[in-house]
Amino acid sequence: MCVLLSLSRTGAQDSKACASWCPPHSECVNATACRCKPGFAALSGEVFTDTLEICDDINECEPPMKVSCGKFADCQNVEGSYHCVCSPGYALLSGAKTFTNASENTCQVKPFFTWPLPPGVNSQSLSRFFDKVQDLHRDFNPVMAKDTIQGLMQEVDELLETPGDLETLPPSQRHCVATRLLADMENALRNLSRALPEGTSTFSYSAGTQLSLKVQKQGDGNVTLSQNQAKMQLNWNLAQESGHTGPSVVGFVSTPGMGKLLAKAPLVLQPEQPVAPQGTPKDLLPRVSPVLLSDVISAFLSNKDTQNLSSPVIFTFSHRRLKVLCVFWDHDQNGHGHWATAGCRTMGTGNGSTTCHCTHLSSFAVLLAFSDVQEDDPALHVITCVGLAVSLLCLLLAALTFLLCRTIQNTNTSLHLQLSLCLLLAHLLFLTAIDRTQPKVLCAVVAGALHYLYLASFIWMLLEGLFLFLTARNLTVLSSSSRNRFMRKVMFPVGYGVPAVIVAVSAASRPHLYGTPTRCWLHPEKGFVWGFLGPVCAIFSINFIFFLITLWIVKSKLSSLNRDVSTLQNMRLLIFKATAQLFILGCSWCLGTLQVGPVAHIMAYLFTIINSLQGVFIFLVYCLLSQQVREQYRKWFTRIRRAESESYTLSSRAVTDSSKPNMIN
């Protein structure tokens, strides 16, 4: 018993001594030595006695690899062990996530298109496409990966060439289908390309779809892939996926037919900022209606983390027009998408092509955007501000003239006064508040006020045309008093009531379309701007008819010897002034609608100059060219000079009188 007791005490002491200095991930051999556990190793050997030795993890996945996971699989090291996983886009037949060696490898490519049809979408064309793609997946053999890629892109090309009932879907559902097609096509091509041998492959199809692929085990420097209307250049390091030992892939797809599914897709203008484009609140971003000018291209890499690239990808598009935007297709998890600009800069345009720098990958294109997307021209801004400031001064002078000059006050002058006041308020509001887009409610109020004031200006111009017509008829039919009584009864209800009704109807039908993301004006969406342009065109046409009839009446009366010559001269002068006003106010807005094509820049300058100087023209035609007004101005200036002279004389006498006592002293 004593012997057994002594042995047990010795063993306990040895165990206690062994445990006190053996490092982590090791086990005791005896009182003086330790051994690393499986999956760990010490520098001094399997068994060590150095108390400073440690057991490091053995990385079985480092070259030269001690294990083999087989094709389409990657080795992943874990502490003290390792396991094999299928490469991205592949999965084990059993559904398991990991395995230990090549003999257990059953990795096969995942289904190419796995998404269900969007809710409410019932498309036979899309269903047939899915059936054909699933047949390709069932027959997939890694050795025949190139044939599978070619068959897949052939099906995509045929679907986009003849989308059938997909084109009859509502825009939101078509955009959702396009989003899923683009995303799953990229994933399928990325996965299938891993089975290709190293090198560059190009595929072309009858409807214009093109695919360029470059597969390389290790790469350095830049890689360039070109197609008929687009080119992509990037650094090869962007394609290399962290922890993946297989070849890297760079892919470039051009799908001209995708434009059919993306028709009427909105464009969201976003400021340049270093954030991932996905998930930006859509209500806070400006939207406009664009025109697709290029093929829709998609770029993908074996590295799926492409939202914030370390160096930009350069895209060059060939297209027909010059001024464009570089955009990408942004979408949410539900498949709803839109064109966006965040992370993409237009570097240069010329010789029928545009170069874009993008810091993320997706599907890209170049767009021409209508009306709301215009390059800021400092010269136009200066012309607008200076022209409106001068017009405001002239309109103020004209209004004061019509109010204070009694010799010219009549019904016609009252019409001029109301027109001048409406334009004065409209120009003042435009100059001070047109760009104040926040808060949205205030911007909508400003847009509504501008809508009303500019419409009122045109209504008063219509009343002037009516008055001119009645004045011409007065030569044979109406008396002057009857004409004036009629105009006094109708001019204020019509001049201020009709535009109020138009604005009220517009605001009641689509209040959210008052105010755009960049200007407090009518939004062009759904033709809402025609709530202004429609009445303007109608007024311009009616006034033009009035003037033609008036000219005919005056011409017929010129041959009459019984008429007072002075009356006819006054009529001709009135016609000249009204005609000048018609072209000043009407033609300027006509120039605004002609800002398209190669002459858009010239039309923009003409529109800005003429529109901003409307007040100057009115003051010139109705005040400076009027003999009565000039005589009144002459009287006013004479009185002012006389008053100044008298004031100067009185002040001189006062100075003289105050200096006399000093002279006596």
Side-chain angles (χ1 to χ4, degrees):
M1 290 292 294
C2 291
V3 174
L4 291 174
L5 182 61
S6 64
L7 287 174
S8 65
R9 287 178 179 174
T10 302
Q13 291 174 356
D14 290 345
S15 174
K16 185 177 180 181
C18 180
S20 65
W21 69 271
C22 280
H25 309 300
S26 67
E27 56 187 10
C28 176
V29 176
N30 53 41
T32 59
C34 297
R35 178 192 296 114
C36 290
K37 293 180 179 178
F40 297 89
L43 294 176
S44 57
E46 183 180 356
V47 178
F48 55 90
T49 58
D50 186 356
T51 58
L52 299 179
E53 189 66 86
I54 59 174
C55 292
D56 293 318
D57 174 53
I58 300 173
N59 189 347
E60 293 86 354
C61 301
E62 274 187 347
M65 293 182 60
K66 302 177 178 61
V67 296
S68 174
C69 292
K71 275 192 171 185
F72 312 120
D74 299 314
C75 175
Q76 290 188 351
N77 184 65
V78 295
E79 191 174 57
S81 184
Y82 75 95
H83 58 248
C84 297
V85 295
C86 293
S87 298
Y90 290 77
L92 290 169
L93 282 175
S94 62
K97 301 297 183 183
T98 63
F99 55 98
T100 56
N101 53 57
S103 62
E104 300 176 2
N105 185 341
T106 59
C107 293
Q108 65 172 6
V109 68
K110 291 181 179 178
F112 304 144
F113 293 86
T114 58
W115 49 278
L117 289 175
V121 176
N122 185 12
S123 171
Q124 294 183 356
S125 298
L126 202 56
S127 298
R128 287 194 297 269
F129 170 77
F130 283 154
D131 292 339
K132 294 177 181 178
V133 169
Q134 295 311 316
D135 290 340
L136 289 173
H137 177 261
R138 282 192 296 270
D139 299 337
F140 173 68
N141 186 338
V143 179
M144 307 294 291
K146 187 173 183 178
D147 294 337
T148 304
I149 291 174
Q150 192 159 357
L152 175 63
M153 294 308 298
Q154 181 67 43
E155 298 301 334
V156 172
D157 184 71
E158 291 178 0
L159 176 67
L160 297 179
E161 183 179 18
T162 54
D165 53 6
L166 285 177
E167 289 189 285
T168 63
L169 296 175
S172 60
Q173 293 183 353
R174 277 193 287 104
H175 301 162
C176 185
V177 170
T179 297
R180 298 296 180 85
L181 279 175
L182 288 169
D184 278 10
M185 180 180 65
E186 292 175 21
N187 287 330
L189 292 174
R190 180 188 295 109
N191 300 336
L192 291 171
S193 300
R194 298 178 187 275
L196 294 177
E198 291 190 37
T200 302
S201 303
T202 302
F203 306 87
S204 298
Y205 302 91
S206 59
T209 302
Q210 290 182 298
L211 168 64
S212 298
L213 292 169
K214 187 173 181 63
V215 182
Q216 195 167 319
K217 185 71 174 178
Q218 292 180 345
D220 195 12
N222 293 330
V223 57
T224 301
L225 295 178
S226 299
Q227 295 177 354
N228 290 340
Q229 296 187 359
K231 181 174 69 173
M232 177 180 70
Q233 183 178 352
L234 54 79
N235 191 292
W236 186 258
N237 292 328
L238 298 176
Q240 297 177 1
E241 188 176 7
S242 177
H244 178 61
T245 57
S248 298
V249 178
V250 176
F252 191 40
V253 188
S254 175
T255 51
M258 194 65 70
K260 299 175 184 177
L261 301 183
L262 296 178
K264 297 183 180 181
L267 165 64
V268 173
L269 297 176
Q270 296 169 300
E272 291 294 333
Q273 49 189 2
V275 297
Q278 309 288 345
T280 307
K282 307 300 184 293
D283 294 339
L284 303 180
L285 302 173
R287 291 172 178 257
V288 295
S289 300
V291 173
L292 188 63
L293 295 184
S294 71
D295 296 344
V296 179
I297 65 164
S298 300
F300 60 90
L301 308 174
S302 49
N303 178 17
K304 297 182 68 174
D305 185 13
T306 58
Q307 289 303 312
N308 291 285
L309 300 176
S310 57
S311 60
V313 181
I314 302 173
F315 297 97
T316 303
F317 293 90
S318 299
H319 54 85
R320 298 181 300 277
R321 310 234 183 149
L322 292 179
K323 292 185 179 180
V324 298
L325 292 172
C326 295
V327 297
F328 74 100
W329 184 249
D330 191 12
H331 60 88
D332 56 26
Q333 294 181 350
N334 296 324
H336 301 292
H338 57 267
W339 295 112
T341 58
C344 284
R345 291 188 299 156
T346 305
M347 300 304 296
T349 297
N351 298 324
S353 66
T354 295
T355 301
C356 311
H357 280 202
C358 298
T359 56
H360 56 84
L361 291 185
S362 179
S363 297
F364 300 88
V366 291
L367 300 179
L368 172 69
F370 284 139
S371 65
D372 284 349
V373 184
Q374 297 177 350
E375 295 182 0
D376 293 333
D377 191 333
L380 288 176
H381 180 71
V382 172
I383 291 172
T384 300
C385 293
V386 174
L388 287 180
V390 175
S391 281
L392 287 173
L393 177 61
C394 291
L395 287 170
L396 180 61
L397 293 175
L400 291 175
T401 300
F402 299 142
L403 280 172
L404 302 177
C405 188
R406 294 183 179 180
T407 59
I408 64 171
Q409 287 181 352
N410 51 38
T411 304
N412 194 32
T413 306
S414 298
L415 294 172
H416 298 338
L417 175 61
Q418 301 307 319
L419 172 63
S420 300
L421 290 176
C422 288
L423 278 178
L424 176 67
L425 294 176
H427 286 350
L428 182 62
L429 188 60
F430 183 95
L431 191 62
T432 57
I434 189 66
D435 295 327
R436 299 180 182 273
T437 57
Q438 295 296 333
K440 289 184 177 181
V441 175
L442 179 60
C443 182
V445 172
V446 170
L450 287 173
H451 188 195
Y452 175 79
L453 290 171
Y454 280 121
L455 273 181
S457 301
F458 278 94
I459 295 293
W460 284 107
M461 188 181 73
L462 174 64
L463 290 172
E464 290 199 7
L466 175 62
F467 180 78
L468 177 65
F469 170 71
L470 294 177
T471 303
R473 288 193 65 197
N474 180 49
L475 296 174
T476 56
V477 181
L478 292 175
S479 66
S480 176
S481 59
S482 299
R483 177 199 62 197
N484 290 335
R485 282 198 305 270
F486 173 75
M487 289 303 301
R488 289 194 186 98
K489 287 181 180 179
V490 302
M491 66 180 188
F492 284 102
V494 173
Y496 291 111
V498 172
V501 171
I502 295 174
V503 173
V505 171
S506 300
S509 60
R510 293 190 178 99
H512 62 285
L513 294 182
Y514 272 107
T516 73
T518 56
R519 297 287 186 273
C520 294
W521 184 236
L522 279 65
H523 204 291
E525 183 180 339
K526 298 180 180 179
F528 188 67
V529 73
W530 284 99
F532 173 74
L533 293 180
V536 167
C537 293
I539 291 170
F540 187 84
S541 302
I542 295 171
N543 261 358
F544 190 70
I545 294 173
F546 279 158
F547 291 153
L548 290 178
I549 297 174
T550 304
L551 286 173
W552 179 79
I553 292 175
V554 172
K555 182 180 178 181
S556 64
K557 294 304 174 184
L558 282 174
S559 59
S560 175
L561 298 178
N562 298 326
R563 282 292 171 186
D564 185 6
V565 175
S566 62
T567 302
L568 292 174
Q569 288 177 344
N570 291 335
M571 277 297 303
R572 283 189 292 179
L573 180 60
L574 189 60
I575 291 171
F576 163 73
K577 292 179 179 180
T579 305
Q581 175 185 296
L582 173 68
F583 284 96
I584 289 168
L585 294 182
C587 288
S588 61
W589 291 97
C590 293
L591 290 173
T593 63
L594 296 176
Q595 295 184 41
V596 295
V599 296
H601 200 61
I602 298 174
M603 290 299 175
Y605 272 89
L606 290 175
F607 172 77
T608 303
I609 293 171
I610 296 176
N611 222 33
S612 61
L613 294 177
Q614 288 174 345
V616 178
F617 295 142
I618 288 177
F619 181 67
L620 176 66
V621 170
Y622 289 120
C623 296
L624 296 184
L625 293 182
S626 172
Q627 184 177 357
Q628 289 178 308
V629 174
R630 289 200 304 269
E631 290 177 357
Q632 186 65 44
Y633 284 165
R634 200 174 291 114
K635 291 179 182 180
W636 287 345
F637 288 141
T638 302
R639 291 176 185 174
I640 293 172
R641 288 177 183 175
R642 187 180 302 167
E644 289 179 350
S645 177
E646 292 176 355
S647 176
Y648 177 75
T649 302
L650 291 174
S651 63
S652 299
R653 289 177 180 176
V655 171
T656 303
D657 294 341
S658 63
S659 62
K660 284 182 179 180
N662 293 332
M663 294 175 63
I664 294 173
N665 292 336

